[in-house]
Amino acid sequence: MANLTLFHNISSLLTMSGAAKKGARFVVQDDLGIIGKAAILVRGGEILWVGREAKLPKGLVPRGAKLKKIDLGGRTVLPAFTECHTHLVFAGNRHDEFEMRMRGASYQEIAEKGGGIVATVKATRAASLKDLVATAQVRAEKFVRQGVTTIESKSGYGLRTKDEMKILEAAGKVKGPRMVRTYLGPHAIPTEYKGRAAEYIEKIVRTDLPLLHKNGFACRVDIFVEKGYFELNLARTYLSRAKEMGFDLAVHAEQLSHSGGAQLAVELGARSAEHLIEITEKDVRALAASEVSCVLLPAADMYLQCNYPPARALIDAGARVTLATDFNPGSSPTQSLSLVGVLARLEMKMSLAEVLAAYTIGSAHALGLEQKLGSVEPGKLADLAVFESDWTELFYSVGDQNAHSVWREGKPLFI
Ligand code: NIG
Ligand code: FE
């Protein structure tokens, strides 16, 4: 008989059950499914029962069964957060570009002069697998302390087979949180393929995608659809091919200009479209009518001093909106979930309930994990974030939102 664990003495538990039922669309406060004086019964990492502690059905704990009790001291419990868009594995940093941007250079101008993504590519190619794992481990733990148990990690700073695989392998060696790896070979055109983006796409479709099938390093693929990077026709070729091969699709779409990436994501049934700053009303309608999760990344918008995506229009039209840090050394050198949430509230006019749903059930959807994560309900995994403060105080203070403890499948990741 699997061991039973009872998490109890919870002052309020945000189950997110209503938000989960609605597929993380049109979320209002009632959808947070708040239970006071709650308890959660867990068996083998899976949630067996959730409710008011006083109402725990006796029959669920058979006589003689081993029951471990974890007293959460009257704290608040939420489904653990899912950080669904990061570029976690890279070497070096680009603090110099921040200063250049403040002196007037644009992100694109810096890239044209050999800075930007390709600068990180140089440093990452030179780094060993061991060093990449070590830095990624430290970064992952920083996310975990904030209540995260699932981290998406993109490649894209290798831009040649062995280095793309090295990055994905490094992400796979991170211990603790659940790592979801995404291949982003078409993140930028490698210098060896300058002016030959189509050949690069052809090459990675021929070599990297089949290799990923074999080594299992990623079951999702992404592409940066943007002028000067990969334009729409190439993105269509790449994503269609990947889809045929059974990969889940994500798209960096409409970040710096309108390139058609959002509509392409809808057309191909991508799991997510990410950034979505320069979207049109037509895009909003198409996204809202689709299953595509809209991953908004306001920390990158803050650093690049561009517009924020029209979160209100998307949410009010019925789109599933999620949030993430986009942590990377260029456009978003921050791992702060609180900054992301505060920007979402301040600049994108999202309600606190919408932010909480975005970071839990919404981001679980973005990674195709909504059956297992994102809400605290029977049948789901016991991934829990425990906070000292009341839930109404979350995403209020920037830079200061560590959890009291974080549990993955009923086991402690951080206390
Ligand atoms: O999501 N837009 C493309 N990729 C990253 C930036 C990566 C970088 O600047 O290193 C992003 O913002
Ligand atoms: Fe990104």
Side-chain angles (χ1 to χ4, degrees), residues 85-87 154 184 187 252 274-275 297 326 328 331:
H85 179 142
T86 84
H87 305 255
K154 300 176 193 292
L184 178 55
H187 191 195
H252 272 69
E274 325 205 341
H275 288 286
L297 308 157
D326 192 15
N328 74 73
S331 65

Side-chain angles (χ1 to χ4, degrees), residues 62-73:
R63 207 192 300 258
K66 225 171 120 197
L67 178 70
K68 186 168 164 195
K69 282 186 157 191
I70 295 173
D71 185 340
L72 293 179

Side-chain angles (χ1 to χ4, degrees), residues 33-87:
I34 302 175
I35 304 176
K37 294 195 168 53
I40 306 164
L41 187 65
V42 174
R43 185 177 56 198
E46 208 179 275
I47 298 169
L48 197 60
W49 176 89
V50 175
R52 285 181 76 80
E53 188 168 349
K55 299 256 172 73
L56 174 68
K58 294 269 176 301
L60 280 182
V61 184
R63 207 192 300 258
K66 225 171 120 197
L67 178 70
K68 186 168 164 195
K69 282 186 157 191
I70 295 173
D71 185 340
L72 293 179
R75 297 185 177 84
T76 304
V77 175
L78 278 84
F81 298 134
T82 291
E83 172 57 43
C84 69
H85 179 142
T86 84
H87 305 255

